């Protein structure tokens, strides 16, 4: 099977981190294809960033369909463009927030989310509600590190680890969901430091897609997730017409 991991921002170094973490859990028969969006923001930290990341994401989905990709991971914790991606793709499309929260709900009574900037907490809360995880999510916390600083700040690992420790103590949580794809490579270290399960959504989403494909499950072609109706698009979106 072939799974495409899509980094919806344009920072290739983050794609490399995502790919390494996904490869650590993928099965021997799984081909991973990690791609960086060809257009969009360098990082996704606002509603504006998220909206402008979606065209690049959808372009990567469309190319994947032409190349015979079986399923997709959207490697950004905002799960940008998830519904539109499911319209375009024939196979399963999973967001890392969706997969991370789902995994956390299986291993304890409650989890905390630790994300990057405080301004992203509202988006994470929206996704908790969308995915029906209000019963399990005990708190959402920000470590106040910009996304790109996760790879450049020499204190990033310490800062994120301490934010996770503080979240567990404050919320009484049984697990932590990391709220950014750029934190994926910190997962094992944080788990060892704070002594509770720490979930990286990249790994969780990769295994979810792999499992669905193994089960022979594709997306439903009916109703809302049927292919979008053909129509022309104008201006800079001209190439997105179907």
């Amino acid at each position: 099977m072939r799974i495409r991991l899509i980094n919806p921002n344009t920072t290739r170094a983050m794609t490399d981190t995502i790919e390494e973490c996904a490869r650590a859990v993928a099965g021997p028969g799984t081909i991973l294809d990690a791609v960086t969006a060809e257009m969009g923001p360098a990082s996704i930290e606002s509603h504006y960033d998220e909206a402008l990341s979606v065209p690049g994401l959808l372009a990567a989905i469309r190319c994947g369909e032409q190349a015979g990709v079986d399923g997709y991971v959207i490697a950004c914790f905002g799960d940008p463009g998830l519904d539109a991606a499911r319209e375009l793709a024939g196979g399963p499309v999973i967001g890392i927030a969706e997969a991370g929260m789902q995994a956390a709900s299986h291993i304890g009574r409650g989890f905390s989310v630790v994300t990057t900037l405080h301004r992203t907490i509202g988006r994470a809360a929206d996704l908790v509600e969308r995915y029906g995880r209000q019963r399990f999510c005990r708190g959402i916390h920000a470590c106040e590190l910009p996304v790109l600083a996760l790879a450049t700040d020499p204190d990033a690992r310490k800062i994120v680890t301490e934010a996770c420790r503080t979240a567990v103590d404050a919320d009484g949580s049984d697990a932590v969901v990391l709220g950014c794809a750029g934190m994926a490579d910190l997962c094992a270290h944080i788990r060892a430091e704070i002594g509770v399960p720490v979930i990286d959504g990249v790994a969780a989403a990769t295994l979810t897609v792999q499992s669905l494909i193994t089960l022979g499950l594709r997306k439903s072609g009916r109703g809302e997730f049927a292919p979008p109706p053909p129509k022309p698009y104008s201006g800079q979106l001209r190439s997105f017409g179907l």
Side-chain angles (χ1 to χ4, degrees):
M1 73 179 71
R2 184 176 175 187
I3 298 174
R4 172 165 284 194
L5 290 90
I6 304 172
N7 175 12
N9 74 40
T10 58
T11 301
R12 178 68 214 186
M14 188 173 295
T15 307
D16 294 340
T17 297
I18 292 164
E19 181 176 16
E20 181 179 351
C21 294
R23 288 193 185 282
V25 299
T30 298
I31 299 170
L32 289 178
D33 173 23
V35 301
T36 308
E38 294 185 356
M39 65 183 86
S43 62
I44 300 171
E45 300 171 306
S46 67
H47 297 296
Y48 186 79
D49 291 340
E50 183 171 311
L52 292 180
S53 75
V54 174
L57 166 73
L58 297 181
I61 295 277
R62 187 164 64 179
C63 289
E65 290 299 287
Q66 295 168 353
V69 171
D70 298 299
Y72 303 86
V73 172
I74 298 178
C76 170
F77 198 77
D79 291 354
L82 179 59
D83 291 334
R86 285 176 172 166
E87 288 183 323
L88 282 185
V93 183
I94 301 295
I96 65 170
E98 178 182 34
M101 293 179 195
Q102 177 76 19
S105 68
H106 292 317
I107 56 176
R109 297 283 290 180
F111 64 81
S112 300
V113 174
V114 173
T115 186
T116 51
L117 300 179
H118 187 272
R119 66 177 298 150
T120 67
I121 287 177
R123 176 58 177 161
D126 289 345
L127 293 177
V128 168
E129 183 175 359
R130 168 176 174 160
Y131 300 137
R133 300 295 155 189
Q134 303 97 314
R135 170 185 163 193
F136 297 96
C137 183
R138 294 185 175 175
I140 304 170
H141 304 259
C143 66
E144 291 303 334
L145 271 178
V147 170
L148 297 183
L150 291 167
T152 60
D153 190 324
D155 294 325
R157 184 165 73 168
K158 178 181 178 181
I159 291 169
V160 178
T161 300
E162 291 309 308
C164 290
R165 192 192 311 276
T166 299
V168 168
D169 291 343
D171 299 339
S173 294
D174 301 314
V176 173
V177 176
L178 297 178
C180 178
M183 297 177 178
D185 60 336
L186 304 178
C187 187
H189 169 80
I190 298 172
R191 185 185 304 133
E193 287 290 313
I194 69 175
V196 301
V198 178
I199 295 96
D200 154 36
V202 172
T206 299
L207 289 175
T208 301
V209 172
Q210 182 175 269
S211 297
L212 291 169
I213 296 169
T214 299
L215 290 168
L217 297 175
R218 295 173 62 82
K219 73 106 181 256
S220 173
R222 300 182 60 190
E224 184 178 345
F225 292 137
K231 66 187 65 173
Y233 283 67
S234 302
Q236 294 182 355
L237 296 180
R238 186 179 297 108
S239 64
F240 285 84
L242 301 173

